[in-house]
Amino acid sequence: MKRRRTIYEGKAKILYEGPEPGTLIQYFKDDTTAFDAKKRAVIEGKGVLNNRISEYLMTQLNAIGIPTHFVRRLNMREQLIKEVEIIPLEVVVRNVAAGSLSTRLGIEEGQPLPRSIIEYYYKSDQLHDPWVSEEHITAFGWASPQDLDDVVNLTIRINDFLSGLFLGAGIKLVDFKIEFGRLWENDYMRIVLADEISPDSCRLWDLQTNEKLDKDRFRRDLGGVAEAYSEVARRLGILPESTPPSGGGPVLVK
Ligand code: UDP
């Protein structure tokens, strides 16, 4: 059998050569890392859930006109995506204070923000993804002012839409990280949403109890990581194909 060519291997995903030019296959691993990859574990089933959750969110975003790299899910752990030139930025949106915002600025975790805040981090493992401003981004040419304008406009729409979508599932979208890429079609370029959107890259809290349903369960050793991710999938009305039916066997239909 012909081995597929690996294009890139990250901490939680692998990108393989796609079936035709301009496409890639994105494979979701069970590996999970935090704190600059100093903390590592394998969370069984996480990749399957993230593949499914990200497929769902990208598809819904596409339906409201947000361009994404997503083409279709291929199987439990893989999806076909369009090859894009990744803009080297982690775009973080915050609706409620948490994580590094709370520690850096001394704002109590859980405090709603007066308005949604967008932050940028320069993607560089070597530099530990430093916080950067629009000035740095355009001065160093990581994105042009026009690119950044598109990124901001798309990010605001994505935040509004996802906040509403999660609210409908009884979940508070506290914050999340997204990435964008340049998609070239002949001489024409447009900015599209890339990477993934999953409980690995979002903070998701139960609306009633503020219970964490995201990667903070791993970061903070709260346990029940895979259970929390599957709860998110369940509330969104999607569950991986492999999930056994709940309950104790066949039920007599009267
Ligand atoms: N995030 C991410 N990848 C990163 C850093 C952050 O997906 O490399 C997400 C994180 O899950 C959270 C949001 O971005 O939903 C904001 O993260 P924060 O800056 O608070 O950093 P953290 O506390 O995760 O170090």
Side-chain angles (χ1 to χ4, degrees):
M1 200 179 84
K2 191 168 147 256
R3 263 188 78 81
R4 275 190 308 197
R5 200 157 68 91
T6 301
I7 304 293
Y8 173 82
E9 176 153 7
K11 286 164 239 160
K13 296 189 293 289
I14 307 172
L15 292 178
Y16 294 108
E17 186 174 44
E20 54 204 66
T23 65
L24 295 174
I25 291 168
Q26 180 164 251
Y27 176 96
F28 288 75
K29 300 194 275 188
D30 283 344
D31 302 28
T32 190
T33 64
F35 309 119
D36 236 354
K38 286 195 265 298
K39 180 169 177 166
R40 295 164 177 274
V42 172
I43 311 273
E44 215 163 301
K46 183 199 72 141
V48 176
L49 288 158
N50 281 357
N51 184 24
R52 197 67 189 78
I53 293 170
S54 198
E55 171 201 19
Y56 178 74
L57 298 176
M58 292 268 180
T59 306
Q60 297 299 307
L61 284 163
N62 220 271
I64 63 150
I66 303 288
T68 78
H69 74 161
F70 180 81
V71 180
R72 66 173 181 278
R73 187 166 59 88
L74 297 171
N75 54 49
M76 301 264 285
R77 287 187 184 270
E78 295 177 329
Q79 46 185 244
L80 184 67
I81 59 171
K82 292 176 200 151
E83 184 171 22
V84 300
E85 187 185 296
I86 288 287
I87 295 176
L89 296 174
E90 301 204 330
V91 179
V92 168
V93 188
R94 302 180 185 275
N95 300 306
V96 175
S100 70
L101 177 96
S102 293
T103 48
R104 199 168 38 215
L105 303 181
I107 299 170
E108 198 191 341
E109 196 160 84
Q111 189 154 314
L113 298 171
R115 62 184 180 88
S116 301
I117 294 173
I118 301 179
E119 296 172 352
Y120 307 98
Y121 296 83
Y122 178 52
K123 267 170 75 77
S124 163
D125 284 341
Q126 209 187 340
L127 300 173
H128 315 289
D129 300 346
W131 198 11
V132 293
S133 72
E134 294 198 4
E135 298 273 296
H136 298 105
I137 295 167
T138 52
F140 297 122
W142 301 324
S144 70
Q146 176 59 54
D147 290 346
L148 207 49
D149 216 40
D150 290 352
V151 163
V152 170
N153 287 326
L154 289 169
T155 299
I156 292 168
R157 291 182 64 200
I158 292 165
N159 183 44
D160 279 351
F161 180 78
L162 291 183
S163 293
L165 185 145
F166 279 116
L167 190 65
I171 293 171
K172 198 188 291 178
L173 180 58
V174 169
D175 58 30
F176 61 98
K177 184 268 299 182
I178 44 181
E179 297 183 23
F180 292 92
R182 296 186 188 91
L183 178 65
W184 290 92
E185 279 158 344
N186 303 316
D187 284 344
Y188 181 73
M189 183 279 286
R190 60 189 174 132
I191 304 289
V192 305
L193 179 64
D195 193 50
E196 72 177 298
I197 307 180
S198 72
D200 266 4
S201 55
C202 300
R203 281 198 172 89
L204 305 167
W205 295 359
D206 179 85
L207 204 55
Q208 309 299 335
T209 64
N210 282 345
E211 185 191 353
K212 296 180 199 316
L213 301 171
D214 56 60
K215 193 170 166 182
D216 271 350
R217 300 206 71 84
F218 169 68
R219 293 190 191 99
R220 301 179 189 192
D221 292 322
L222 299 173
V225 186
E227 290 78 2
Y229 285 38
S230 58
E231 176 63 12
V232 172
R234 193 190 64 75
R235 291 195 195 182
L236 292 174
I238 46 166
L239 273 179
E241 292 145 8
S242 67
T243 304
S246 56
V251 176
L252 183 66
V253 180
K254 292 184 190 139

